[in-house]
């Protein structure tokens, strides 16, 4: 592994920890947020915990930008899956419980799959960047996908999580376009208008990803975060492989370890999601008898008996 790739991996690990802490904070806040969109947004903007989560996400994003400068999208984005692994013990700690065996199994499978993906994606540092036309086309396509996933229907949490992952992944791809274009030696700086427009797209998609994730976490942390974790690198890798000229390590032979890594990491994510669902089905502490006996348990004094 070259020095640039080592820097990209190290910075990505710290970025994943910041994102994990932010996800746990967002999930805990989502449980206390009103379902109504307007009221929920107002409550978020007045909550200190929300701005703390925003700060953690911002720190993770800045570190992510640094990692993208030294490593390709196909390497940096899969490392974002470590957010899910780090969020498991963090979420358990805040919930006051131990990490379940199924959660540990899912974490180990995810790490093993990431190892294979890292080997397959260890290509050279990025040198190409999107043109303005390509960036606008990617942005328009992403907006259409987010709009389709944001419609009302079944499984809103998973759909919003998918939209969040796509928005964040495209923001990363566009961010790499800006950083590579500005820092590439021997190349003329991109036009100011192009840089501004791409930066605005990055800000828009990053914000959309943050808000969509906050909505998705109303369904819990495990499954939505798992979907965000998978959709994010998938969306970014599609851009990297199709438009930025990135290649897998070993050429066509690198497809096999990449597929194997994806399957193993997918099994790990499924295990983590099942562990979260199992935790949600665990029975809660029974209520006190006095708490269950309410006005409907017996007729109020002086009330006429109901006819038979």
């Amino acid at each position: 592994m070259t020095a640039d790739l080592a820097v990209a991996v190290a910075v990505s690990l710290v970025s994943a920890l910041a994102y994990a802490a932010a996800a746990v904070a967002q999930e805990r806040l989502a449980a206390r947020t009103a379902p109504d969109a307007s009221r929920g947004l107002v409550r978020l903007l007045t909550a200190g915990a929300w701005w703390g989560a925003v700060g953690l996400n911002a720190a993770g994003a800045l570190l992510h930008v640094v990692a993208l400068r030294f490593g390709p999208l196909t390497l940096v984005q899969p490392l974002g899956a470590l957010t899910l692994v780090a969020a498991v013990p963090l979420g358990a700690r805040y919930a006051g419980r131990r990490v379940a065996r199924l959660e540990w199994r899912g974490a180990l499978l995810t790490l093993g799959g990431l190892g294979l993906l890292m080997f397959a994606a260890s290509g050279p540092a990025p040198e190409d960047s999107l043109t303005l036309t390509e960036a606008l086309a990617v942005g328009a396509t992403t907006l259409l996908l987010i709009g389709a996933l944001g419609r009302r229907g079944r499984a809103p949490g998973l759909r919003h999580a998918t939209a969040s992952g796509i928005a964040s992944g495209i923001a990363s791809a566009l961010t790499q376009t800006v950083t590579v274009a500005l820092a590439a030696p021997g190349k003329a700086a991109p036009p100011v208008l192009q840089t501004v427009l791409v930066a605005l797209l990055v800000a828009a998609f990053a914000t959309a990803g943050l808000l969509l994730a906050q909505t998705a976490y109303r369904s819990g942390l495990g499954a939505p975060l798992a979907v965000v974790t998978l959709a994010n690198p998938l969306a970014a890798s599609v851009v990297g492989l199709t438009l930025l000229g990135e290649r897998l390590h070993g050429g066509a032979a690198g497809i096999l370890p990449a597929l194997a890594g994806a399957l193993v990491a997918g099994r790990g994510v499924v295990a983590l999601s099942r562990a979260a669902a199992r935790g949600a089905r665990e029975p809660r502490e029974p209520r006190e008898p006095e708490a269950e006996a309410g006005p409907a348990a017996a007729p109020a004094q002086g009330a006429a008996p109901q006819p038979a």
Side-chain angles (χ1 to χ4, degrees):
M1 182 179 291
T2 65
D4 283 351
L5 290 180
V7 172
V9 170
V11 175
S12 295
L13 294 179
V14 182
S15 174
L17 289 176
Y19 278 131
V24 173
Q26 284 183 264
E27 188 272 336
R28 292 174 61 84
L29 184 60
R32 307 192 302 267
T33 303
D36 179 72
S38 59
R39 292 173 55 191
L41 182 59
V42 171
R43 184 170 181 178
L44 283 178
L45 295 177
T46 57
W50 162 253
W51 291 109
V54 170
L56 287 169
N57 274 302
L62 289 175
L63 292 170
H64 190 72
V65 170
V66 176
L68 286 173
R69 176 63 190 91
F70 292 96
L73 277 170
T74 47
L75 170 67
V76 174
Q77 291 303 123
L79 285 173
L82 292 175
T83 298
L84 180 63
V85 178
V88 169
L90 285 176
R93 178 179 177 84
Y94 278 106
R97 62 174 178 82
R98 294 182 178 179
V99 180
R101 181 178 299 179
L102 185 58
E103 290 176 309
W104 283 123
R105 179 189 175 192
L108 292 176
L109 284 172
T110 304
L111 285 174
L114 280 172
L116 291 174
L117 284 172
M118 286 176 58
F119 172 78
S122 297
E127 296 180 356
D128 201 3
S129 59
L130 297 176
T131 65
L132 179 59
T133 301
E134 290 173 337
L136 293 177
V138 168
T141 304
T142 304
L143 285 176
L144 291 176
L145 288 174
I146 292 176
L149 292 168
R151 292 181 179 179
R152 293 187 178 183
R154 299 180 59 184
L158 296 183
R159 287 188 291 104
H160 287 152
T162 303
S164 173
I166 291 175
S168 300
I170 295 303
S172 296
L174 295 173
T175 297
Q176 188 178 53
T177 287
V178 175
T179 56
V180 171
L182 292 176
K187 290 186 178 181
V192 176
L193 178 60
Q194 175 179 336
T195 303
V196 171
L197 288 177
V198 175
L200 289 176
L201 286 175
V202 170
F205 286 128
T207 303
L210 183 63
L211 294 176
L212 286 166
Q214 182 66 51
T215 304
Y217 290 149
R218 292 174 184 167
S219 302
L221 180 64
L225 182 57
V227 173
V228 170
T229 302
L230 288 177
N232 188 316
L234 179 60
S237 295
V238 167
V239 175
L241 292 172
T242 59
L243 297 177
L244 295 178
E246 295 184 0
R247 296 292 182 267
L248 295 176
H249 181 73
I255 296 178
L256 292 179
L259 290 176
L263 289 175
V264 173
R267 290 191 61 181
V269 169
V270 170
L272 288 167
S273 301
R274 288 178 177 175
R278 181 180 299 178
R281 290 195 300 266
E282 289 181 355
R284 297 180 180 180
E285 294 295 329
R287 295 182 180 179
E288 296 294 332
E290 294 80 6
E292 295 191 1
Q301 291 184 357
Q306 296 293 324

